[in-house]
Every structure is written in C-alpha cells, then in structure tokens.
Amino acid sequence: MELWFTEKQGDFLATSYRVRKTLHTEKTPFQDLAVLDTVPFGRMLVLDGFVQTTVGDEFIYHEMITHVPLNSHPSPKKVLIIGGGDGGTMREVVKHPSVEKCIQVEIDEKVVEASKRFLPEIACGFDSPKGELIIDDGIKYVKEHPDTFDVIIIDSTDPVGPAVGLFSREFYSSVHRALKEDGLFVAQSESPNYELDLIVRINRDLREIFGLSRTYVAHIQTYPGTMWSFTIGSKKYDPKKVDPAKIAEIEGLRYYTPELHVGAFALPRFVADRIKEQV
Ligand code: SAM
C-alpha cells in the first residue's frame, strides 16, 4: 500500500510526499510532532502538520539562516538562537571561528529529543562545547537579557501557536534591546509567494526599530512556494554591502557562497516593489 503525507497551505493548496515509514508520532505540550521517512527527501520532521526540516534539503535553510547574518557582522562572538529545535542552525553557527558562545532557547524539549534520536546528522550541532541549550520561551528569555548578543537568529515555526509572539513588533523591540550596540538579527520570514503582506509588515517594523531592514531569499524544495525569505534587522552593518572577497571560507558548505550572500538580496520585482512601496 502507498502511504502519502499531505501538507496543506490554507484551504487552497497542498503538497504530498510519498512516505516509506512513519518513524515516530507524539503530542508534546506545545504541538503535534511526527518524524516520517519520505521517499523524495529522507527523514522529515513535521510539527502541527507543517514540514520543519528534511535530511534531503535542510542544508539550504540552515546555511542561509546562519552564514548570511554571521558574515554580515565583523566578529560575532556571542550568538543567540530562538527555536531551531532540530539543531541544524546551532550546527552551522559553531562552524564560525569567531563564535565563542552560542545559546539556544527552544520552548519544546520533545523536538530536541526527537531530532537527536531520528535526525542525528542535523542535531549534531548540540554536541558542540561552544553551545548551550536552554528549554524556555524565547520571548521571555530575550526580554531578560539586554545588551548581550552580537547576532540573534529566530529559527521559528510559522506564526501560529507558541511562535505567534516571535513575529510581533513588541518582540522585535526586545530583540533590539538584547543586541549589543552594533548587533543584528535575522528571522525566517515565510514565503514571498503566500505571505508577502507579512514580509512587508516585518520590514516596516524593523526599519522603525533598527533603522535598517533587509530581506533575502533562498530556494528550499520542501517549503511552500519553494522560494523562502529571511529578514535582517541591523543596528549598524548593512548585510547587502558585504565584500564577498573578504568572506572567509567555511569548508563543507553546500549552498551558501560569498557571491550568493550578495546575490540573495537581489529580490524579484514583485517582492522588492512591495517592500519599497510600503516601508
Ligand atoms: N526550519 C523550520 C521552519 O521554518 O519550519 C523551523 C524549525 S525549528 C523545528 C522551529 C522551532 O521553534 C520548534 O521546535 C518550536 O518548538 C520552536 N518555537 C516556537 N515558538 C517558540 C518560542 N516562543 N520560544 C522558543 N522556541 C519556539
């Protein structure tokens, strides 16, 4: 018998993946969690019916949410990750030689446990001596740590459930306070094809709070629309003006390149125009 997993985008679009085996399901205190072995992308982490990451294409998201902001700062030493329970972002952050400490605050320890058990090639980030994992609400943690971090990475689920507040203006103000005077942060900011209003609103908030906001894109097969966006709020450095020749090479990357760092900020016209118009 053929088994398929279908992810719904609202009530108008769905993507289906053929499943070899359901490896794990549980109801955590925060969300429904599943790990599936899929035919096209291998093992896949699913929360509340939405694909979070797959062994097949995770490198694209994790490299782009990490190396773009870290290479936009001249010397990031102290980094905070909010969310990111699969460990892939931590795995990428600790590759940077300047990083001395990476604190990760994930609300749901069951995501971490399932990732360590079923996605060890992604969760290996948690083994680094530079890393520290705290199980708590990222919104609360950020409020309680002013003037502490060089770079903050918001690796969250979609704006539903415990992640709703991670997309709020109030949270972005707390992030601004938690950063040092030349700090910057990045948030995964959803699909330009389906969530353009949200991306425009995030840019407007960040420009007011930080002075500078920049959206960039990457192409991730298992996210709706495949074109995915990330948005940076920065107090000082412009991530678009980084000189690719000065970016130090990190071995073993499969998507991010210094040229792509700059190229990723070249937005399709329908995205660039909306952001420019409304900000
Ligand atoms: N790459 C993924 C994506 O875009 O779909 C996100 C991956 S990661 C699994 C997202 C994590 O954010 C989840 O493990 C979830 O528990 C966590 N999260 C949601 N709200 C949170 C909050 N308020 N504080 C800390 N972590 C949170």
Side-chain angles (χ1 to χ4, degrees):
M1 189 178 67
E2 279 187 12
L3 288 177
W4 291 78
F5 161 65
T6 296
E7 179 190 75
K8 284 190 180 164
Q9 178 73 14
D11 58 1
F12 55 88
L13 179 80
T15 311
S16 294
Y17 303 85
R18 186 158 169 199
V19 172
R20 235 179 251 118
K21 199 172 174 195
T22 300
L23 300 173
H24 181 71
T25 57
E26 74 177 291
K27 205 169 179 51
T28 81
F30 298 96
Q31 47 218 340
D32 285 324
L33 185 161
V35 184
L36 311 173
D37 184 13
T38 70
V39 173
F41 294 101
R43 277 157 289 133
M44 170 189 276
L45 174 69
V46 181
L47 293 176
D48 287 338
F50 295 105
V51 178
Q52 299 298 304
T53 195
T54 77
V55 168
D57 69 347
E58 59 85 11
F59 65 98
I60 306 172
Y61 176 89
H62 291 126
E63 290 183 18
M64 290 302 278
I65 199 170
T66 302
H67 302 301
V68 175
L70 289 190
N71 283 330
S72 299
H73 189 290
S75 182
K77 292 191 172 65
K78 202 158 177 196
V79 177
L80 173 69
I81 302 167
I82 302 294
D86 49 68
T89 300
M90 174 76 94
R91 183 195 66 198
E92 294 304 314
V93 169
V94 297
K95 288 178 181 172
H96 278 254
S98 71
V99 171
E100 292 167 0
K101 181 87 189 162
C102 179
I103 293 177
Q104 174 164 353
V105 182
E106 160 63 56
I107 204 166
D108 192 343
E109 66 181 334
K110 296 294 175 192
V111 177
V112 176
E113 281 170 18
S115 302
K116 284 183 175 170
R117 185 165 161 213
F118 295 104
L119 308 168
E121 52 281 85
I122 304 177
C124 60
F126 293 123
D127 299 335
S128 168
K130 292 182 186 178
E132 180 185 341
L133 175 67
I134 296 171
I135 301 298
D136 203 350
D137 184 348
I139 298 172
K140 178 172 150 268
Y141 184 90
V142 164
K143 264 195 206 146
E144 291 166 355
H145 291 82
D147 197 21
T148 307
F149 297 99
D150 298 304
V151 174
I152 298 178
I153 300 176
I154 317 297
D155 182 3
S156 73
T157 34
D158 299 333
V160 285
V164 173
L166 297 175
F167 289 80
S168 72
R169 197 192 146 87
E170 193 195 342
F171 176 66
Y172 298 145
S173 297
S174 306
V175 168
H176 185 270
R177 283 191 294 276
L179 286 165
K180 293 184 187 159
E181 62 183 3
D182 63 346
L184 58 94
F185 97 105
V186 69
Q188 74 87 357
S189 49
E190 305 283 309
S191 157
N193 293 307
Y194 301 114
E195 299 285 354
L196 195 46
D197 287 347
L198 175 69
I199 296 168
V200 169
R201 200 268 291 159
I202 293 174
N203 271 278
R204 192 187 301 135
D205 287 350
L206 296 190
R207 218 150 287 181
E208 282 171 23
I209 298 165
F210 284 78
L212 183 79
S213 78
R214 298 282 185 218
T215 290
Y216 61 99
V217 293
H219 301 278
I220 303 168
Q221 292 119 295
T222 55
Y223 289 167
T226 70
M227 178 169 50
W228 205 251
S229 80
F230 304 84
T231 301
I232 288 181
S234 177
K235 292 187 178 182
K236 184 170 179 187
Y237 309 111
D238 186 345
K240 234 174 142 172
K241 298 210 172 123
V242 166
D243 178 356
K246 293 197 176 134
I247 295 179
E249 190 169 343
I250 293 177
E251 268 181 41
L253 301 189
R254 294 163 67 201
Y255 190 87
Y256 176 92
T257 68
E259 292 71 27
L260 193 69
H261 178 119
V262 181
F265 290 94
L267 297 174
R269 177 150 285 164
F270 78 95
V271 182
D273 283 356
R274 277 290 311 282
I275 293 175
K276 217 184 303 160
E277 254 167 46
Q278 309 245 342
V279 173

